[in-house]
Amino acid sequence: ISSLPTEKGLVSGNLYQYEGFWHTSEILQKILPYQNQFEARDSDIYLVTLPKSGTTWLKAMVFALVNRTQYNPNSNQQHPLVSNNPHQLVPFLESEPISNGVDSCPTDPRLIATHLPLVFLPESVKQSGCKIVYLCRNPKDNFVSLWHFTNKLRTEEMGCISLEETFDKFCRGVELFGPFWDHVLGYWKESLEKPDKVLFLKYEEMKENPGNHLRKIAEFIGCPISMEEESFNLVNQILELCSFDHLSNLEVNRAGRLSSGHSKSAFFRRGEVGDWKNHLTPEMAQKVDEIIKQKLGASGLTFY
Ligand code: A3P
């Protein structure tokens, strides 16, 4: 680890560049070496994102979808999403002792989230019949969301990190699990090569037409919405349950912390498309456009 390129992370501790991506020392030492021991199941569903791309929303929607028979999204009886933060219901692979499997996964089929780049996914995830749903977000909003989140995590002692300093790191690809463009490109290519394995989604399109996205995800993971479910408006019930307004106003998401130490409310800010216009100068926006054109121009992947 001491021979790897190092940069100061956005919150605390250093990031290390290994095989093109930036990791914490914990991921390098405690997670990556055990990846070949992790046993994926054919029935597993992996929700993959870069931080601040809509992970919390995706976790909520897929949890509600997969468990809709057990928990009626429209019932007055407490739905787990009303009494738990979505991160408590869908664990991150990298937060688990993966040498022993994923211990805290409460669902069957297992719903497991990860921010790991494609090349670092455990071999069994790539080889088994499990499904991967990848959600990305336009890089400018992703960056702005990351900047706000970072400052919520920084202690008073550390002080705030400036937008400019964060932007400089983002443009150099220095963020946990980044560079942004290499992360999205890995999954984009995989989704083109293996459309039955990887479903590639965009936050902005999901905001635009969440119902169709929910149906698409349901079909992809093998539990399509039936005619009967359509007739009692299941799709809208799930969307309403998982909407930004509903989740962010729940008592459980307004206070308290996750076992990771993150404040639950930090995962809800505005939940909108285009907030970057309130933060980036025209020069900054142009710089991101240029980087994306250079890095992703030939791939056919475009952003809003
Ligand atoms: P903003 O900071 O732009 O508001 P992640 O879940 O990957 O950490 O991403 C967090 C981003 O998703 C934040 O974006 C947050 O507000 C937004 N978000 C959280 N819950 C959401 C929901 N139910 N619907 C839409 N966006 C949501």
Side-chain angles (χ1 to χ4, degrees), residues 6 28 54-55 69 139 142 180 184 201 203 211 213 249 270 281 292 297:
T6 308
L28 282 172
T55 321
T69 328
N142 187 288
F180 174 96
V184 291
L201 303 174
Y203 179 92
H213 278 71
N249 284 309
R270 293 183 64 148
T281 63
I292 294 301

Side-chain angles (χ1 to χ4, degrees), residues 23-301:
H23 309 269
T24 58
S25 61
E26 192 196 15
I27 288 188
L28 282 172
Q29 290 173 312
K30 291 199 190 148
I31 293 164
L32 298 186
Y34 292 104
Q35 293 210 310
N36 285 333
Q37 292 169 32
F38 177 75
E39 287 177 24
R41 299 180 192 157
D42 286 341
S43 57
D44 285 349
I45 299 162
Y46 292 84
L47 307 181
V48 189
T49 53
L50 266 169
K52 316 331 290 172
S53 294
T55 321
T56 315
W57 188 22
L58 185 66
K59 282 185 175 187
M61 293 230 285
V62 183
F63 181 90
L65 201 52
V66 165
N67 295 294
R68 65 196 193 253
T69 328
Q70 198 179 349
Y71 306 114
N72 179 352
N74 197 35
S75 108
N76 289 332
Q77 143 216 335
Q78 288 259 306
H79 192 282
L81 278 164
V82 173
S83 43
N84 294 272
N85 178 279
H87 294 287
Q88 295 171 295
L89 299 171
V90 183
F92 278 111
L93 183 63
E94 49 274 24
S95 312
E96 297 290 310
I98 70 169
S99 49
N100 314 321
V102 175
D103 290 343
S104 66
C105 194
T107 57
D108 181 23
R110 297 191 304 183
L111 277 186
I112 302 168
T114 182
H115 292 314
L116 288 174
L118 183 76
V119 286
F120 293 106
L121 283 185
E123 223 23 61
S124 62
V125 174
K126 292 188 224 168
Q127 301 307 332
S128 73
C130 66
K131 300 279 188 183
I132 296 175
V133 180
Y134 185 80
L135 177 65
C136 73
R137 190 175 190 187
N138 85 66
K140 294 173 203 150
D141 279 341
N142 187 288
F143 160 74
V144 167
S145 185
L146 179 70
W147 176 63
H148 281 288
F149 187 72
T150 298
N151 277 327
K152 283 182 198 159
L153 301 187
R154 287 170 70 96
T155 59
E156 231 169 81
E157 233 169 50
M158 290 176 199
C160 283
I161 186 166
S162 72
L163 184 85
E164 290 71 20
E165 190 181 336
T166 315
F167 187 74
D168 172 64
K169 285 188 190 284
F170 183 82
C171 290
R172 291 189 294 115
V174 184
E175 60 170 314
L176 185 54
F177 306 109
F180 174 96
W181 42 90
D182 289 332
H183 199 284
V184 291
L185 191 60
Y187 286 97
W188 170 249
K189 285 186 179 162
E190 193 76 353
S191 74
L192 296 180
E193 275 169 33
K194 300 179 187 162
D196 293 338
K197 174 85 177 171
V198 182
L199 177 66
F200 191 95
L201 303 174
K202 296 177 184 172
Y203 179 92
E204 296 74 23
E205 290 178 350
M206 200 148 96
K207 284 287 283 188
E208 179 82 19
N209 197 335
N212 278 358
H213 278 71
L214 194 71
R215 291 185 183 92
K216 207 186 217 182
I217 296 171
E219 187 125 3
F220 177 75
I221 62 179
C223 57
I225 311 284
S226 68
M227 296 289 270
E228 193 199 343
E229 287 172 326
E230 288 287 3
S231 73
F232 63 75
N233 230 347
L234 175 82
V235 171
N236 277 347
Q237 291 169 6
I238 293 181
L239 294 182
E240 179 48 36
L241 175 70
C242 303
S243 71
F244 179 87
D245 284 348
H246 182 245
L247 291 184
S248 61
N249 284 309
L250 288 171
E251 209 50 51
V252 66
N253 292 325
R254 288 165 65 100
R257 290 185 181 275
L258 298 169
S259 55
S260 61
H262 293 115
S263 118
K264 292 179 194 167
S265 63
F267 292 91
F268 304 94
R269 193 180 62 91
R270 293 183 64 148
E272 286 168 8
V273 174
D275 189 34
W276 64 267
K277 292 178 189 144
N278 301 317
H279 293 80
L280 301 192
T281 63
E283 293 73 33
M284 285 170 144
Q286 194 185 345
K287 182 160 183 189
V288 176
D289 289 341
E290 277 164 14
I291 294 172
I292 294 301
K293 193 169 159 206
Q294 186 204 339
K295 303 283 186 187
L296 301 178
S299 70
L301 174 60

